[in-house]
Amino acid sequence: SQTIHQWPATLVQPVGSPLSLECTVEGTSNPNLYWYRQAAGRGLQLLFYSVGIGQISSEVPQNLSASRPQDRQFILSSKKLLLSDSGFYLCAWSRQTGGYTFGSGTRLTVV
Amino acid sequence: AQSVTQPDIHITVSEGASLELRCNYSYGATPYLFWYVQSPGQGLQLLLKYFSGDTLVQGIKGFEAEFKRSQSSFNLRKPSVHWSDAAEYFCAVAASGGSYIPTFGRGTSLIVHP
């Protein structure tokens, strides 16, 4: 069966520090991969999605970036975190249809 | 582009009572529709989905949803709520002829009183 792993579960980082969140999928090949951010009291905002290695689409311009170095690995990064980057980050994978499977999320607090 | 509205931010029900969470969408053709549930501090779990066919969809945990094209709605229902159903519920719509990337509603928080 397919599983998705996301880490770390929680992270506290100072303003201006770098960020790297990792997501990996097991049990499937060539998945579509996604990064979402969920701010308190709000819905899910799609940040990036990828349909293949090295293929990244950005939905929201900001100081975050994403990379897909391997088929089942998706990384969310920042060179310098802002206070506004605080939130709950969710990785997800899907086939073209069939709904998404989400990771357990990373709670990021920028202080 | 598609959009989805969940008009209720919070819903409070008593344990054992019936539940209906509202979801309205905007899309020019027949959409793909989803309901997800999120427990505090956790990721989202798919409850059910509609792609085509029977407009009444059965999901996990005793939930069902009905697609009503005339009302552009996909409301989630459960006949008897359990305390463990307290969570955030998200409706999502995806374009059936596009990239299939869902757009999520802002969510409805379900509170269950004993």
Side-chain angles (χ1 to χ4, degrees), chain B residues 1-32:
Chain B
Q2 68 269 26
S3 66
V4 59
T5 301
Q6 293 180 248
D8 303 306
I9 297 175
H10 302 284
I11 290 283
T12 301
V13 299
S14 298
E15 190 169 16
S18 62
L19 171 70
E20 182 169 34
L21 302 182
R22 296 184 291 165
C23 173
N24 293 99
Y25 69 89
S26 174
Y27 181 61
T30 299
Y32 293 154

Side-chain angles (χ1 to χ4, degrees), chain A residues 32 34 36 38 41-44 46 49 59 88 90 95-105 107, chain B residues 9 32 34 36 38 41-46 49 51 88 90 98-107:
Chain A
N32 293 341
Y34 312 85
Y36 281 86
Q38 185 178 28
R42 298 187 179 182
L44 279 75
L46 178 64
Y49 69 94
E59 292 293 303
F88 193 53
L90 288 158
R95 290 295 185 189
Q96 196 171 43
T97 60
Y100 286 18
T101 299
F102 283 84
S104 54
R107 172 73 58 193
Chain B
I9 297 175
Y32 293 154
F34 310 86
Y36 286 85
Q38 183 182 33
Q42 299 297 314
L44 277 71
Q45 181 183 24
L46 180 66
K49 60 191 177 188
F51 287 168
E88 192 86 13
F90 292 92
S99 63
Y100 309 103
I101 298 175
T103 298
F104 286 83
R106 295 182 66 131

Side-chain angles (χ1 to χ4, degrees), chain B residues 68-106:
Chain B
K68 293 186 176 180
R69 184 192 306 275
S70 62
Q71 299 178 20
S72 297
S73 69
F74 189 57
N75 293 349
L76 182 71
R77 302 193 295 247
K78 187 170 185 178
S80 178
V81 171
H82 188 263
W83 64 267
S84 60
D85 293 324
E88 192 86 13
Y89 291 81
F90 292 92
C91 180
V93 59
S96 57
S99 63
Y100 309 103
I101 298 175
T103 298
F104 286 83
R106 295 182 66 131

Side-chain angles (χ1 to χ4, degrees), chain A residues 28-100:
Chain A
T28 187
S29 59
N30 196 30
N32 293 341
L33 295 170
Y34 312 85
W35 278 110
Y36 281 86
R37 178 169 60 200
Q38 185 178 28
R42 298 187 179 182
L44 279 75
Q45 179 186 37
L46 178 64
L47 301 175
F48 302 95
Y49 69 94
S50 172
V51 298
I53 295 175
Q55 301 179 60
I56 307 295
S57 296
S58 174
E59 292 293 303
V60 183
Q62 55 205 324
N63 70 319
L64 298 173
S65 63
S67 62
R68 186 170 177 173
Q70 300 179 41
D71 180 46
R72 290 169 287 180
Q73 184 184 30
F74 205 26
I75 298 172
L76 182 68
S77 304
S78 174
K79 292 182 179 179
K80 289 185 178 181
L81 284 169
L82 306 173
L83 286 174
S84 58
D85 291 324
S86 293
F88 193 53
Y89 289 82
L90 288 158
C91 180
W93 79 273
S94 76
R95 290 295 185 189
Q96 196 171 43
T97 60
Y100 286 18

Side-chain angles (χ1 to χ4, degrees), chain A residues 7 26 33 39-41 43 51 53-54 59 106 108 110-111:
Chain A
W7 67 92
E26 296 178 357
L33 295 170
V51 298
I53 295 175
E59 292 293 303
T106 296
L108 172 65
V110 182
V111 296

